[in-house]
Amino acid sequence: MDKGYEKERFESLSIKGSVAKKFRRFSKAMSESQSMTLLLMIEFFANHGISPNESLGPKMQTLENLIKKRINGVISIIKDIEKNQTKPTNAMLFSLFEEKAKEEVPMLVEKKFMDPILITEDEELTYYRDHYYKMKKELNGFKFEVRKFMNKISLEKRTLGKDYFKLNTTKKDFEKFKNENNI
């Protein structure tokens, strides 16, 4: 049975015998009942605005030619943009960077401290040892500040819901800690 049309009764149409045979073969090829095949055909023509008296050949070819023309138009626009905008801009940027590279000494890594020109191994050893102790002192100072900060944190237990940590400090002290330690 046809879905959605089970309760409708059948009507008869007067169709020539040869046309009925062709229609039955077409319905079997579509794997639909004759009613559903006819309904699909009517909806197709109505939805696409096509008259069964017209030939689809020229219309399909016209549609295909129209699409090809539009695609060619888009391609020509893209080629024009590439020719008149992208390539000149790219060339200007490339020449700009090339000139900058010639003017400046290339520096890939920025150093935080400059190594002095050292003459002997003792001076070099002393320099690096002093730098090591300086960095170690900064690290210990930071650890001390973090410990002080952690001592201001307390666990707040709740009867309902999850427990949470509370920071017992002022907003000003918190901002000062962040700024002093570059956080």
Side-chain angles (χ1 to χ4, degrees):
M1 290 302 282
D2 302 329
K3 291 184 181 178
Y5 298 94
E6 292 89 1
K7 294 186 179 181
E8 289 189 29
R9 64 184 191 90
F10 287 95
E11 294 283 333
S12 61
L13 296 173
S14 299
I15 302 173
K16 302 284 183 187
S18 61
V19 175
K21 285 180 184 177
K22 283 183 179 180
F23 182 70
R24 286 186 185 114
R25 273 187 261 136
F26 182 73
S27 295
K28 283 182 183 178
M30 293 285 296
S31 299
E32 296 282 344
S33 68
Q34 293 175 17
S35 297
M36 295 310 294
T37 302
L38 187 58
L39 179 65
L40 287 172
M41 290 169 60
I42 292 169
E43 287 176 351
F44 174 81
F45 288 121
N47 290 339
H48 296 291
I50 301 171
S51 169
N53 295 328
E54 295 176 4
S55 171
L56 289 178
K59 284 194 172 198
M60 290 299 207
Q61 289 172 351
T62 306
L63 181 63
E64 184 179 347
N65 289 337
L66 179 65
I67 291 172
K68 283 182 180 178
K69 284 180 184 177
R70 288 187 178 177
I71 289 173
N72 288 338
V74 169
I75 290 171
S76 65
I77 290 170
I78 291 172
K79 284 182 179 179
D80 184 61
I81 289 172
E82 183 178 326
K83 179 181 171 186
N84 295 325
Q85 293 176 7
T86 308
K87 285 185 179 178
T89 305
N90 191 21
M92 287 189 307
L93 287 172
F94 183 73
S95 65
L96 178 68
F97 286 124
E98 198 172 86
E99 288 176 14
K100 280 246 184 210
K102 289 177 184 176
E103 292 173 7
E104 297 177 1
V105 177
M107 186 175 213
L108 299 176
V109 179
E110 183 180 315
K111 292 186 175 183
K112 292 191 177 185
F113 62 93
M114 296 297 293
D115 292 338
I117 300 172
L118 303 172
I119 300 170
T120 65
E121 286 182 22
D122 290 336
E123 288 177 339
E124 188 175 358
L125 183 62
T126 305
Y127 172 77
Y128 286 114
R129 184 183 303 125
D130 291 343
H131 188 70
Y132 168 75
Y133 287 124
K134 179 181 172 191
M135 296 301 288
K136 192 172 181 180
K137 184 178 179 182
E138 285 180 20
L139 178 63
N140 287 334
F142 181 70
K143 284 182 180 179
F144 178 74
E145 290 294 322
V146 170
R147 279 191 200 108
K148 268 181 28 181
F149 192 75
M150 294 297 288
N151 288 334
K152 295 179 182 179
I153 297 175
S154 62
L155 178 64
E156 296 289 320
K157 295 197 179 249
R158 303 174 87 187
T159 54
L160 297 172
K162 294 181 179 180
D163 298 340
Y164 64 94
F165 289 100
K166 181 178 178 183
L167 178 61
N168 300 315
T169 187
T170 63
K171 187 175 181 179
K172 183 179 175 183
D173 289 340
F174 180 72
E175 291 296 325
K176 181 181 172 188
F177 174 79
K178 280 176 46 177
N179 292 335
E180 286 177 354
N181 296 296
N182 296 326
I183 296 175

